[in-house]
Amino acid sequence: MIELEASYLIRDVTPEQCFAYLADLDNATEWNSFITAAESDEAVALGTEVRARISFIISFGVTATVTQFDRPDAYALSASKPLKADIGGRFAEAADGTSFTYFYRMPPTKFFPVPSMVLKRLIKVQFDKDGEQMRSCLQGLSA
């Protein structure tokens, strides 16, 4: 199982601002380098199906369901085909802005043509880069 989690302090930005930015699919490609496109047929809410194009080792399409949408506290999506993965975040007010925790979970898979230890390292490196990019995008909301 690949389980990653990181926390960030987003200064001078409210949990609502952070949530609104991350819930807007038009912003997905700005902060998540795995995603090359994301869309849904309706406004994002609990139960919404989101279709995305992913580019990581190989390029593929994935459909995920919004499994948590508790504005402005938390969101989560869960994909089941062609691979299982969960992604999400939690927001809380902090003295200087918003405390944001971002997570990614994926059970063992043979979907990617690389050994599991290599896959875990590749995902971790990209997760860390994307986390910093997400922090930067959220921090930009204060300007």
Side-chain angles (χ1 to χ4, degrees):
M1 175 73 101
I2 296 173
E3 294 184 86
L4 303 171
E5 184 171 294
S7 295
Y8 305 91
L9 175 63
I10 312 301
R11 297 187 186 285
D12 302 320
V13 180
T14 67
E16 176 59 36
Q17 289 173 295
C18 291
F19 189 99
Y21 176 84
L22 294 175
D24 184 343
L25 295 179
D26 289 338
N27 297 328
T29 59
E30 291 179 17
W31 61 267
N32 190 322
S33 65
F34 294 110
I35 299 174
T36 59
E39 64 181 15
S40 70
D41 293 332
E42 57 191 306
V44 176
L46 185 64
T48 300
E49 283 196 351
V50 175
R51 294 174 306 282
R53 290 292 311 161
I54 306 295
S55 182
F56 178 72
I57 301 174
I58 59 174
S59 184
F60 58 97
V62 66
T63 299
T65 301
V66 177
T67 56
Q68 184 175 17
F69 199 81
D70 300 326
R71 187 177 220 121
D73 301 318
Y75 77 95
L77 293 99
S78 182
S80 58
K81 289 185 179 179
L83 65 115
K84 293 181 187 229
D86 297 310
I87 187 173
R90 296 180 303 278
F91 309 91
E93 284 190 35
D96 294 338
T98 297
S99 171
F100 172 58
T101 301
Y102 174 56
F103 70 85
Y104 178 84
R105 292 187 290 264
M106 186 177 74
T109 181
K110 295 184 189 266
F111 181 76
F112 295 106
V114 296
S116 62
M117 291 306 294
V118 173
L119 178 63
K120 185 173 185 174
R121 178 70 184 138
L122 291 172
I123 289 175
K124 169 79 170 112
V125 166
Q126 207 56 50
F127 176 85
D128 290 344
K129 285 181 184 176
D130 286 351
E132 283 302 315
Q133 178 63 23
M134 182 187 325
R135 185 201 58 73
S136 177
C137 289
L138 292 172
Q139 193 60 65
L141 299 175
S142 70

